[in-house]
Amino acid sequence: MDPRLSDLPGILGLPQADIEVIRTGGPAVTQDVLSELVVSTRALNHTCCGFTTFTGGDLNVELSGLTGDSSPAPMRLFSYKNPEEKTRNQMKIVRSHPWIAKEIPVRGFVFDVATGLISEVQGVSQDAAA
């Protein structure tokens, strides 16, 4: 969702035609995202993400209190603390999906807001299951 990632061809050094982007808050691999990832297997994450600043439970309580309406709670809000670990876990979810061919590489990256650089997250084999 972060607009600072709009120039992905420049950031990744890849042609625009080689990049498929699915932007989600969190970022979270939901069932909707998994259906999109059947043919697209790249995930992107970044440091200093707002989703690292709260827990879903805490935000549900805060928003219920602020608005006086708790009817949407509990709302699933995909918070996390560690961008690398979050990316690795999401990659495992993608890698284990039966409709994503095992020969298709699943890669995840973390965008460092302070430096403007991205780093690839390692640690998920192409055969890994969640």
Side-chain angles (χ1 to χ4, degrees), residues 59-114:
L59 191 55
N60 273 282
V61 169
E62 181 180 340
L63 293 174
S64 293
L66 285 172
T67 64
D69 185 349
S70 62
S71 63
M75 179 176 273
R76 187 162 180 207
L77 303 160
F78 301 95
S79 63
Y80 63 96
K81 296 298 179 196
N82 183 304
E84 291 82 13
E85 188 61 31
K86 173 71 171 186
T87 300
R88 192 172 294 108
N89 289 336
Q90 299 303 289
M91 291 165 60
K92 287 178 184 177
I93 292 169
V94 173
R95 179 70 287 149
S96 67
H97 195 281
W99 290 359
I100 297 176
K102 297 302 178 198
E103 66 270 10
I104 294 174
V106 175
R107 300 170 66 193
F109 298 85
V110 173
F111 173 64
D112 188 316
V113 174

Side-chain angles (χ1 to χ4, degrees), residues 1-3 5 8 20-37 40 42-46 49-52 54 76-80 86-87 90-91 93-94 109:
M1 287 177 47
D2 194 318
L5 299 177
L8 285 178
E20 289 192 46
V21 177
I22 299 168
R23 294 177 185 249
T24 62
V29 177
T30 63
Q31 290 302 313
D32 290 337
V33 170
L34 280 172
S35 66
E36 305 243 359
L37 289 174
S40 175
R42 298 192 187 268
L44 186 59
N45 200 343
H46 64 90
C49 180
F51 281 83
T52 65
F54 62 86
R76 187 162 180 207
L77 303 160
F78 301 95
S79 63
Y80 63 96
K86 173 71 171 186
T87 300
Q90 299 303 289
M91 291 165 60
I93 292 169
V94 173
F109 298 85

